[in-house]
């Protein structure tokens, strides 16, 4: 073995190890997988939002060429349970059954009603046309407020209500009391439109049965192979130890693959029934109907303050659209946001209530940020409104109220303990990069001249809770699972290393970052480390990937496991060098005796000696492998300041982003290049909500934005050049000092952009533009403002 000196890896912009395979097409997407005898599954979906199934006949489909089988919901009902909801947020929550395939009633357009299995996907898709279904239409339930009326039609008639739950949180003083002493009270209503996740890879499932032993291997484009395995065992009755779940290469998720979908349960059930491998891959338009949606919320926000601008209290009332069913964490998504509405601000009272509402639309669930973007949007929008009311610069108002850096750790009014941060430093750096004062001067000049193209400046100062954990907090929130994470380190006899992680990547760069973490602790070359993930047999323990938890929790587990390897190796090295463990130094992968540097062993040499086990300390097992499970004591709290300048054409309503600056504090950075990529992607998705994306339904509950021609996903040409930078206040809740970065850009960017749009139009009388701020909506807001101004002038003239 050669003695190799390894320079520190953490903090280096290493090109991603995983990219070579991805960019050259040597990938293993689920849809690429093929096995002998593979059958293809196609699903007939309801064209109606709400209807009773009077008759369904799949016999004609069975006669089509290439068709092997066809099933109704009734055919598959035996042995197929309800899809799980792991987050019943209140004791009295309404939990309707959620069959993977409808039996008697459909409750959203896209609800599965029949399954066809054929020798190829085209034959299966064609045979769907032969399935005969008679429906009796039932009233759709679409409006959240109308759904709560006593005489409203019911999504689930056996439950007697469309109200899913009411979840309250009141902290600090009484909000009513602080409202009484406030000089200014503002109330605003904000609408969070539904969003449709658009991962580059559609969802797909392949199931291969081993009939002789009753074992099944399920490949899925999923973020959660470990959770999926447990839940599918519960839904299908297949023993968990007989079920192996593999997430191969996964082409993006954004929360849409943080789910236990009916298609996965159906594919497993059909494979079990037929004893043959089956595959299902969604079409893009099918995904728009059947992949869960994000957001979908009415936010009534009230804020109370003094005339000087000091915040006194915040009141939040939400109506959250659950859709037709509760999926894995549907009810909990708005609750995650509950703790973030006070954001980075100090106040005396906080009153929050969320009401979950069933509708006859596609179920909602996690989408990048999951509750936190909605909260940040509301508080940052109303802070801008309060600044206008008090005639303060929006940044001046924020400075008056945010937690100062010397006050950390700080327990917010919502009850979270923010461990570290420096909002002043991030904001000052962002202002310098943005040229804030110069842009404000230009804006004033253009407003004086009455330019047709107006300049607007938007501010968003945010924080978020991520690194989803700790388990005891999740218990108190009634979440069924824990927040721990697992990792193990295997030192191979040849000196190479396998890092086994319970997190499952889908674009975040886990393989690269975990290699960097392990390389630094073990002192072995970055290139000598492989990362094993996404397979419940190869990596049997884990809680998977979501909520910006992978690095903060999973990376910490890798760090601790590597440290355990070093300590085990120390015992062997001390024995081989005939020295005390306490006399050994370990630097860059080399154990040496203090004062005798020529007496040394590399950790790779120790690995081989352990493998041979010829000369180990008495009583020691012949291994230096180690594993570690982490259950953090706290969440982590990234923060930052995002600034956006837009130009709005008042004749056409078109908004163009002129400049965008963001300075984020994500704690200690493992790989700056990967952080940069995560920020860029997150900001793009936040801008998309602000300006482009919306799931639109007609009055009958049909999704009318069900293709990429109707649902506007911005491309690179629609986005500006981003100016990004960082400040760094390490987290104290994990050994890496990291805070998470996967969702920050999405959380911060949407209010920055909308604040900029409204700021541009405010001199023309516009105080609100509903998202997405499309040219039509901007134009209509301007027209309404002009009409209101004309009416006011007429009224003044009449009075005169």
């Amino acid at each position: 073995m050669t003695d190799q000196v390894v320079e520190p890896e953490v903090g280096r912009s290493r090109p991603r190890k995983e990219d070579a395979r991805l960019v050259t097409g040597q990938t293993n997407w689920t849809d690429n997988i093929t096995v002998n005898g593979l059958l293809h599954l196609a699903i007939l979906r309801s064209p109606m939002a709400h209807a009773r199934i009077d008759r369904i006949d799949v016999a004609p489909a069975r006669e089509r060429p290439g068709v092997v089988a066809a099933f109704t919901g009734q055919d598959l009902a035996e042995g197929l349970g309800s899809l799980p909801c792991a987050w019943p947020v209140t004791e009295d929550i309404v939990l309707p059954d959620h069959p993977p395939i409808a039996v008697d009633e459909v409750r959203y357009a896209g609800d599965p009603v029949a399954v066809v299995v054929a020798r190829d996907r085209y034959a299966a898709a064609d045979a769907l046309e032969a399935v005969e279904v008679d429906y009796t239409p039932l009233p759709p339930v679409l409006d959240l407020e109308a759904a709560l009326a006593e005489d409203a039609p019911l999504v689930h008639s056996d439950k007697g209500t469309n109200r899913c739950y009411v979840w309250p949180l009141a902290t600090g003083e009484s909000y009513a009391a602080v409202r009484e002493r406030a000089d200014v009270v503002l109330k605003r209503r904000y609408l969070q439109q539904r969003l449709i996740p658009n991962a580059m890879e559609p969802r797909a499932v392949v199931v291969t049965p081993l009939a002789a032993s009753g074992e099944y291997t399920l490949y899925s484009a999923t973020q959660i192979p470990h959770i999926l395995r447990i839940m599918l065992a519960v839904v299908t009755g297949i023993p968990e130890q007989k079920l192996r779940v593999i997430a191969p290469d996964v082409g993006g998720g954004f929360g849409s693959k943080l789910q236990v979908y009916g298609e996965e349960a159906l594919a497993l059930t059909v494979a079990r029934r037929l004893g043959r491998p089956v595959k299902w891959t969604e079409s893009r338009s099918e995904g728009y109907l059947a992949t869960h949606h994000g957001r979908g919320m009415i936010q009534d926000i009230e804020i109370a303050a003094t005339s000087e601008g000091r915040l006194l209290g915040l009141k939040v009332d939400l109506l959250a659209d659950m859709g037709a069913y509760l999926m894995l964490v549907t009810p909990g998504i708005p609750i995650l946001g509950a703790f973030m509405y006070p954001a980075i601000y100090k106040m005396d009272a906080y009153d929050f209530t969320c009401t979950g509402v069933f509708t006859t639309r596609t179920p909602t669930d996690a989408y990048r940020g999951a509750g936190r973007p909605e909260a940040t949007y509301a508080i940052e929008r109303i802070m801008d409104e309060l600044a206008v009311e008090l005639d303060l610069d929006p940044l001046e108002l924020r400075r008056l109220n945010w937690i100062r850096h010397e006050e950390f750790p700080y327990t917010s009014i919502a009850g979270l303990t923010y461990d570290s941060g420096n909002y002043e430093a991030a904001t000052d750096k962002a202002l310098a990069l943005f040229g804030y004062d110069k842009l404000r001067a230009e804006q004033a000049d253009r407003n004086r001249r009455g330019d047709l193209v107006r300049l607007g400046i938007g501010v968003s100062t945010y924080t978020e809770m991520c690194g989803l954990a700790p388990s005891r907090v999740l218990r108190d929130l009634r979440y069924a699972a824990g927040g721990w994470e697992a990792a193990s380190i295997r030192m191979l006899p040849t000196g190479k290393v396998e890092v086994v992680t319970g997190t499952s990547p889908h674009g975040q760069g886990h393989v690269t970052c975990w290699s960097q973490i392990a390389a630094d602790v073990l002192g072995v070359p970055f290139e000598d480390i492989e990362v094993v993930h996404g397979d419940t047999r190869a990596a049997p323990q884990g809680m998977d990937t979501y909520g910006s938890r992978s690095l903060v929790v999973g990376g910490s587990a890798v760090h601790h496991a590597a440290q355990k390897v070093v300590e085990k190796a120390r015992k062997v090295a001390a024995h081989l060098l005939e020295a005390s463990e306490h006399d050994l130094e370990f630097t860059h992968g080399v154990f040496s005796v203090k004062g005798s540097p020529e007496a040394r062993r590399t950790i790779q040499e120790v690995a081989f000696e352990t493998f041979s086990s010829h000369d180990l300390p008495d009583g020691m097992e012949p291994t230096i492998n180690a594993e570690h499970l982490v259950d953090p004591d706290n969440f982590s709290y990234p923060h930052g300041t995002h600034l956006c300048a837009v130009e709005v054409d008042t004749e056409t309503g078109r908004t163009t982003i002129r400049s965008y600056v963001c300075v984020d504090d994500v704690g200690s950075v493992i790989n700056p290049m990967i952080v940069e990529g995560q920020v860029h992607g997150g900001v793009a998705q936040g801008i998309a909500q602000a300006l482009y994306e919306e799931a639109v339904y007609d009055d009958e509950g049909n999704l009318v934005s069900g293709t990429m021609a109707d649902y506007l996903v911005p491309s690179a040409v629609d986005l500006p050049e981003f100016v990004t930078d960082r400040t760094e206040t390490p987290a104290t809740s994990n050994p890496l000092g990291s805070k998470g970065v996967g969702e920050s850009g999405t959380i911060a960017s949407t209010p920055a952009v909308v604040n900029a749009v409204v700021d541009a139009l405010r001199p023309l009388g516009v105080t609100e533009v509903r998202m997405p701020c499309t040219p039509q909506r901007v134009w209509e807001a301007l027209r309404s403002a002009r009409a209101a101004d004309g009416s006011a002038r007429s009224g003044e003239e009449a009075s005169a």
Side-chain angles (χ1 to χ4, degrees), residues 48-382:
M48 309 184 75
H50 198 194
R52 185 170 60 248
I53 301 173
D54 296 322
R55 183 184 73 91
I56 182 166
D57 187 0
V58 296
R62 296 190 183 114
E63 303 302 317
R64 289 294 185 96
V67 171
V68 174
F71 303 100
T72 66
Q74 193 65 55
D75 295 332
L76 298 175
E78 186 177 351
L80 191 58
S82 178
L83 292 175
C85 174
W87 204 340
V89 295
T90 63
E91 189 173 348
D92 60 350
I93 188 173
V94 175
L95 286 169
D97 286 340
H98 184 185
I101 180 170
V103 176
D104 301 312
E105 194 171 309
V106 294
R107 293 183 172 88
Y108 67 97
D111 214 351
V113 296
V115 174
V116 172
V117 188
R119 292 186 177 87
D120 67 69
R121 66 178 60 185
Y122 306 106
D126 289 345
L128 293 179
E129 299 175 357
V131 178
E132 299 173 2
V133 188
D134 293 336
Y135 297 100
T136 295
L138 297 171
V141 180
L142 303 169
D143 182 275
L144 295 180
E145 292 176 304
L148 298 176
E150 287 188 12
D151 58 348
L154 299 176
V155 180
H156 300 276
S157 57
D158 60 317
K159 300 302 180 184
T161 181
N162 291 320
R163 182 178 283 102
C164 177
Y165 66 86
V166 178
W167 193 94
L169 175 68
T171 62
E173 298 180 39
S174 158
Y175 176 78
V178 302
R179 190 183 193 279
E180 282 296 315
R181 69 172 190 264
D183 301 312
V184 178
V185 176
L186 290 184
K187 187 170 184 178
R188 296 290 186 269
R189 168 168 283 200
Y190 300 121
L191 303 180
Q192 292 282 333
Q193 77 271 36
R194 276 177 167 250
L195 301 178
I196 300 176
N198 277 275
M200 291 184 71
E201 179 205 20
R203 291 188 295 121
V205 186
V206 174
V207 180
T208 60
L210 187 60
S213 59
E215 295 179 88
Y216 300 86
T217 298
L218 182 142
Y219 302 84
S220 179
T222 182
Q223 297 174 221
I224 53 167
H226 297 90
I227 294 173
L228 181 60
R229 180 193 189 206
I230 296 166
M231 293 304 187
L232 286 178
V234 172
V235 172
T236 65
I238 295 172
E240 186 182 349
Q241 73 274 17
K242 297 288 189 180
L243 182 58
R244 177 185 184 185
V245 175
I246 300 174
D249 292 319
V250 177
F254 316 120
S256 70
K257 296 172 183 173
L258 163 57
Q259 195 54 265
V260 178
Y261 280 107
E263 292 87 357
E264 290 160 324
L266 289 173
L268 184 55
T269 300
V270 169
R272 185 185 197 183
R273 179 78 64 95
L274 300 179
R276 296 272 300 274
V278 300
K279 176 191 286 188
W280 171 81
T281 302
E282 71 179 1
S283 67
R284 184 64 68 178
S285 57
E286 188 178 21
Y288 274 44
L289 287 171
T291 296
H292 73 241
H293 292 178
R295 315 289 190 253
M297 187 183 294
I298 297 173
Q299 302 171 301
D300 286 315
I301 313 297
E302 185 173 294
I303 197 165
T306 68
S307 57
E308 294 80 21
R310 190 175 79 81
L311 299 186
L312 297 176
L314 181 69
K315 189 174 191 301
V316 177
D317 288 295
L318 305 183
L319 292 181
D321 188 351
M322 304 287 99
Y325 297 101
L326 302 183
M327 300 194 76
L328 190 64
V329 291
T330 302
I333 298 304
I335 307 310
L336 278 176
F339 301 96
M340 286 286 98
Y341 281 86
I344 66 175
Y345 306 117
K346 296 179 286 188
M347 59 189 72
D348 302 328
Y350 176 48
D351 191 313
F352 173 94
T353 304
C354 178
T355 302
V357 184
F358 290 112
T359 63
T360 53
R361 287 187 280 216
T362 301
T364 60
D365 208 297
Y367 179 63
R368 197 169 189 169
R372 281 78 49 83
E374 298 94 308
T376 302
Y377 181 84
I379 186 64
E380 290 302 286
R381 281 289 296 115
I382 204 165

Side-chain angles (χ1 to χ4, degrees), residues 17 39 71 122 190 231 347 358 430 440 462 491 517 592 622:
K17 281 186 174 183
L39 300 175
F71 303 100
Y122 306 106
Y190 300 121
M231 293 304 187
M347 59 189 72
F358 290 112
R440 283 292 185 202
Y462 79 99
M491 292 293 299
I517 294 167
S592 59

Side-chain angles (χ1 to χ4, degrees), residues 443-746:
Q443 178 188 45
D445 182 59
R446 289 169 71 162
N447 287 345
R448 278 193 301 271
R449 290 188 281 109
D451 274 11
L452 292 176
V453 178
R454 294 299 178 105
L455 177 63
I457 298 168
V459 177
S460 175
T461 51
Y462 79 99
T463 189
E464 61 153 324
M465 56 183 282
C466 64
L468 197 61
S471 296
R472 291 182 179 182
V473 173
L474 297 178
R475 172 204 63 194
D476 294 341
L477 292 173
R478 302 180 63 85
Y479 182 59
W484 55 266
E485 194 47 76
S488 61
I489 306 289
R490 300 198 288 243
M491 292 293 299
L492 305 181
T494 55
K496 310 302 182 184
V497 180
E498 288 180 335
V499 174
V500 182
T501 176
T503 63
S504 180
H506 40 280
Q508 299 93 332
H510 290 188
V511 172
T512 302
C513 289
W514 279 211
S515 295
Q516 290 179 275
I517 294 167
D520 271 4
V521 177
L522 299 173
V524 301
F526 171 82
E527 295 78 10
D528 286 354
I529 299 173
E530 294 295 326
V531 178
V532 178
H533 59 79
D535 182 338
T536 60
R537 183 164 294 170
Q541 291 183 296
M543 291 302 295
D544 304 318
T545 296
Y546 40 86
S548 297
R549 71 185 300 274
S550 290
L551 178 61
V552 173
V553 191
S556 295
V558 171
H559 175 87
H560 284 299
Q563 285 186 322
K564 285 184 175 180
V565 168
V566 172
E567 292 312 305
K568 283 187 173 184
R570 184 184 299 277
K571 295 180 184 296
V572 179
H575 178 75
L576 295 172
L577 294 170
E578 298 180 344
S580 166
E581 291 179 42
H582 302 294
D583 290 334
L584 290 190
E585 295 178 331
F586 181 70
T587 306
H588 298 315
V590 178
F591 292 99
S592 59
V593 180
K594 295 176 184 177
S596 302
E598 69 282 355
R600 60 212 310 262
R601 286 287 192 279
T602 68
I603 196 169
Q604 291 99 328
E605 290 172 329
V606 172
F608 186 81
E609 292 291 343
T610 307
F611 165 72
S612 70
S613 67
H614 291 167
D615 188 14
L616 295 181
D618 291 342
M620 182 172 182
E621 294 179 332
T623 180
I624 57 172
N625 297 345
E627 67 177 7
H628 193 87
L629 278 76
V630 167
D631 196 346
D633 296 326
N634 196 1
F635 299 94
S636 65
Y637 302 97
H639 70 82
T641 297
H642 287 221
L643 301 172
C644 178
V646 301
E647 292 185 322
V648 182
D649 188 322
T650 59
E651 292 188 310
T652 66
R654 185 183 180 203
T655 297
T656 303
I657 297 179
R658 173 168 150 179
S659 62
Y660 194 100
V661 169
C662 53
V663 174
D664 297 290
D665 189 326
V666 298
S668 301
V669 172
I670 306 300
N671 187 312
M673 183 186 299
I674 289 176
V675 167
E676 192 85 355
Q678 289 289 299
V679 171
H680 276 233
V683 170
Q685 284 186 279
I687 291 173
Q689 178 173 9
L691 298 180
Y692 296 98
E693 297 186 22
E694 181 177 23
V696 179
Y697 286 82
D698 66 16
D699 292 343
E700 299 301 315
N702 300 302
L703 181 67
V704 297
S705 57
T707 71
M708 282 191 168
D710 310 296
Y711 185 91
L712 301 182
V713 179
S715 68
V717 298
D718 299 306
L719 299 170
E721 292 288 332
F722 303 130
V723 176
T724 65
D725 208 334
R726 292 186 301 278
T727 55
E728 187 171 310
T729 53
T732 63
S733 57
N734 66 80
L736 302 173
S738 296
K739 295 183 177 181
V741 69
E743 299 159 301
S744 297
T746 305

